[in-house]
Amino acid sequence: MAVTAEPPPSDPGEPGSDAAIPDPMDAATEATRSLQGLSSELTARVPQLLEAMRTVGAGLDLHVTLDRIVETAAELADARYAAIGIIDDAREGLSDFVTYGVHREQHQRIGALPDGHKGLLGALIHDPKPLRLRDLTQDPRSAGFPAGHPPMRTFLGVPVRVQGEIFGNLYLTEKRGGGEFSEEDLHMVRVLATEAGIAIGNARVHAATRQRERWIDGSVAVTTELLAGSDVDDALAVVAEQARKLADSAAGIVLLPDEEGGLEIVAVSADDPAGIMGTQIPPHSPVVEQLLAGEPVFVHDSATDPRMITDIASRFGPSMMLPLKSGGRVLGTLAVPRSRGARPFTDAERTLAIQFAAQAALALVLADAQRDRERLAVYEDRDRIARDLHDLVIQRLFATGMILESAQRRTIVPEVAQGVGKAVDELDVTIQEIRTAIFALQQGPAEAPSGLRTRVLREIGTAAVPLGFQPSAGFIGPVDSRVGELTGKNLIAALREALSNAFRHAQASRIEVVVDATIRLPDGVDGVRLTVADDGVGIADGGRRSGLKNLAQRAESLGGSSSFGPGLGENGTGTTVRWEAPL
């Protein structure tokens, strides 16, 4: 068995040097040194090598660059299969494995990609030297192949350095024609690996810059959205959705402290959010104390980590749990878990995510302060309206009633007296209604009962001011006693969203709200249905549907659903929104 193990070529960017990225001219210098004094056969392949170097160095996308490297290396050495293994941050295994020559069906039969913890791949991680084997299956370090793996014998492995540090290893197997890899193949691939290191370095810098830009843009989007006047629930949903997108994770989750000293999930962004909303992490969980102290928690595999004690942890793999901390105050936690088997988060991703969480927390604080100012302005305006109604409107109506009563006593025509009497009665009713409105305007939020029925009426009363009319309200079943707090909280948010959509888009003159706590959902579970119907213009084709999407996501997170249909107008004009969730 022919074995060649050689020290790596000298690298222009050794650790500790000031060079940020090696210059492409260094690759040419390295190539010249490596080719001096070699055979005419190798010299004849120089044009092929130069073309390969040019191909590898084109482009800045990291994954495209890695694909190009393995394909070019296979063509250069006439190998059937090629791969590049990227060493993880701990330098104990592989974080990624890019292949060439293995078809998709073969990948499916093989299963999980190698992790580099054993076998020849692991040996090259801990001893990164060029290695050439006639039969890799006979090497004592070989750990064999999994079922479904194509047969491989001849082997060539070369380390790839980026800025003087080992980035990974380039592997070639199965020399075409049945021969073994030659000394010339080894030298050619070593030179290609040098150029590959430069190309990877450039691609990594470009990827890191683009990644930072994405996180910065995401932070700006969150801040802009929160300061645009969203309510608390919508604000938290925005943070969860943006974090999920930026972290390339399976879910974005926001948790807030609960009354028992633990954490409760209050906002979720995921393809399958069912069963996640409302999950509580008890105070005795190993991660709660650390998170409430403002320290991030990083988990390699949520499904197997003993610190993750909730049922939903089994759905996910790598996870970041980041405190939403601003000014020394911890508002809650932002969690971004990836799917099981997904790649772990890099150090750069962790740093960017921590910065995003801090920016999101600051935006939440600013948005909360802005809402407080707006709420105070509303209360001041309501007080002014109440005073005007009491001091001006009621007094004038009362005076008008007295004039009419005097006129009624003086008239001798029975029909006139009867008509004036009805007008006086109507004025009395109007005065009573205005006094009720004054009482509602002067009532503070802390004075209102906490029942769902009262919260629905209060929400409708608040919406009546911008609408210019009072929507009607109906209740079916024991709403206050049957509907749970979590569902009730989300129902109120859904009602607020539906009324807001009617005000901003529907141009409605009539709105009917019904809360029915006696329904059964399609899966047989007892539920509650919120129906908001209007006689407006309806939903235009191609119009914005972000509000309807928010309603659907909120219902689905609880295991319910949301839909819309024809409204109250003639011929079904307008819109009817139906929102359902388990009790």
Side-chain angles (χ1 to χ4, degrees), residues 45 106 108 111 116 142 165 203 228 231 236 287 290 306 308 425 468 497 513 523 548:
R45 296 171 64 182
Q106 291 175 314
Q108 293 175 347
S142 177
E165 295 184 357
D231 61 37
L236 297 177
V287 301
Q290 188 172 347
M308 309 299 286
D425 292 340
E497 180 78 35
V513 177
D523 58 2
L548 296 173

Side-chain angles (χ1 to χ4, degrees), residues 250-384:
I253 299 172
V254 176
L255 305 94
L256 296 182
D258 59 22
E259 295 178 355
E260 298 177 357
L263 292 169
E264 179 183 357
I265 294 177
V266 297
V268 179
S269 173
D271 290 334
D272 182 17
I276 300 178
M277 181 74 83
T279 298
Q280 292 180 309
I281 303 179
H284 63 267
S285 169
V287 301
V288 167
E289 182 178 358
Q290 188 172 347
L291 290 170
L292 294 181
E295 301 175 7
V297 175
F298 302 106
V299 177
H300 181 71
D301 186 0
S302 299
T304 59
D305 194 302
R307 297 174 296 174
M308 309 299 286
I309 61 177
T310 61
D311 293 336
I312 64 172
S314 59
R315 301 188 188 184
F316 303 113
S319 179
M320 293 189 292
M321 304 182 73
L322 313 165
L324 293 169
K325 181 179 179 181
S326 178
R329 174 189 170 198
V330 177
L331 307 178
T333 296
L334 172 64
V336 279
R338 283 178 173 159
S339 302
R340 297 199 64 180
R343 63 178 180 85
F345 292 99
T346 64
D347 290 341
E349 287 175 322
R350 293 181 178 186
T351 300
L352 291 169
I354 290 173
Q355 294 171 350
F356 172 84
Q359 179 66 28
L362 177 60
L364 286 170
V365 170
L366 294 176
D368 191 47
Q370 176 175 287
R371 283 190 293 271
D372 286 342
R373 290 193 298 270
E374 293 173 351
R375 193 177 298 116
L376 179 60
V378 169
Y379 289 150
E380 291 175 347
D381 199 37
R382 287 168 60 176
D383 287 341
R384 180 189 59 78

Side-chain angles (χ1 to χ4, degrees), residues 38-89:
L38 296 180
S39 65
S40 57
E41 178 186 349
L42 181 59
T43 304
R45 296 171 64 182
V46 167
Q48 182 186 8
L49 173 62
L50 294 177
E51 176 61 22
M53 293 172 65
R54 186 196 65 79
T55 301
V56 165
L60 289 174
D61 184 271
L62 181 57
H63 282 281
V64 172
T65 299
L66 295 176
D67 287 334
R68 189 181 293 118
I69 288 171
V70 292
E71 181 179 358
T72 303
E75 293 175 355
L76 183 64
D78 202 19
R80 187 180 300 274
Y81 306 106
I84 185 168
I86 302 171
I87 300 175
D88 60 26
D89 293 334

